[in-house]
Amino acid sequence: MADKLEFKKGDFVVYPAHGVGRIEGIDEFSIGEQTVMLYSIAFEQDKMMLKVPVAKAKGAGLRKLSSKDRIKEALSTLQGRSKVRRIMWSRRAQEYESKINSGDPVSIAEVVRDLHRSSNQPEQSYSERQIYQSALARLARELAAIEKIDQERATTKLETVLTKEREEAAA
């Protein structure tokens, strides 16, 4: 097969619309006269298996885990001031979903930062909370895979970065 294999079985990868998954295998399927190589990717958090053609993996946005530098950049993004644009919620929600589905940890960190609420701030709406939780979980899964810790510890680390910055800004 002419397709170059960029990933191997056991590799953690990021698929933009679903987050972190693990390559479970590389399968060959014959359809008529053609043979197609597919990555089988397991997303444990969603209890889902995805098959992506090797030839189209890059075009679909499948990538390796972020570098430690990119994650540091995402963590420093969490520490910045939240930037909430004064536009209708439905439009903002679309922008947040788009950033989450980009798969870029810095964009996802922007969503987490902008939707984070400390105890002294007004309550979030249900949809704000849903988007916040989705972004936080997506970022935590990648951080967990990179630092080889569980998702709960990664979430705690992200929340600590968020609250530490807010407390310092208030002081």
Side-chain angles (χ1 to χ4, degrees):
M1 194 86 225
D3 297 330
K4 184 185 175 298
L5 295 176
E6 191 171 338
F7 308 107
K8 62 185 184 308
K9 185 176 177 174
D11 285 355
F12 280 104
V13 293
V14 176
Y15 188 79
H18 298 292
V20 176
R22 183 185 289 234
I23 303 283
E24 293 293 311
I26 298 148
D27 308 315
E28 214 172 274
F29 283 95
S30 293
I31 304 166
E33 301 276 315
Q34 277 195 315
T35 302
V36 181
M37 299 280 289
L38 301 169
Y39 290 120
S40 292
I41 309 166
F43 296 89
E44 277 186 36
Q45 70 279 3
D46 298 328
K47 294 176 179 45
M48 178 180 88
M49 184 68 82
L50 181 70
K51 296 199 182 275
V52 178
V54 170
K56 300 197 187 276
K58 200 172 219 71
L62 191 66
R63 65 171 174 82
K64 294 178 179 179
L65 292 174
S66 296
S67 66
K68 290 204 183 257
D69 286 343
R70 190 72 178 154
I71 285 296
K72 276 185 191 155
E73 197 177 329
L75 291 174
S76 70
T77 297
L78 291 177
Q79 295 175 332
R81 289 186 74 91
S82 64
K83 297 177 179 110
V84 178
R85 293 181 41 210
R86 299 287 171 215
I87 56 175
M88 287 181 58
W89 167 247
S90 60
R91 180 76 186 116
R92 258 190 311 146
Q94 273 183 324
E95 289 176 6
Y96 290 146
E97 289 291 347
S98 177
K99 284 182 175 187
I100 293 169
N101 290 330
S102 73
D104 174 45
V106 174
S107 294
I108 297 168
E110 289 172 4
V111 175
V112 172
R113 176 199 65 205
D114 293 350
L115 290 177
H116 178 262
R117 294 282 181 273
S118 58
S119 56
N120 63 348
Q121 289 180 302
E123 190 63 29
Q124 287 177 309
S125 71
Y126 176 77
S127 53
E128 282 179 312
R129 220 173 17 258
Q130 291 297 102
I131 293 173
Y132 171 76
Q133 291 297 333
S134 171
L136 183 64
R138 186 75 62 89
L139 192 56
R141 284 194 294 266
E142 188 159 1
L143 180 65
I146 290 168
E147 294 194 353
K148 295 174 178 51
I149 57 176
D150 63 31
Q151 187 177 335
E152 201 173 305
R153 285 184 47 208
T155 302
T156 301
K157 181 174 182 170
L158 294 173
E159 288 173 333
T160 300
V161 169
L162 279 164
T163 54
K164 188 178 93 174
E165 177 58 31
R166 302 285 195 264
E167 287 166 4
E168 288 172 4

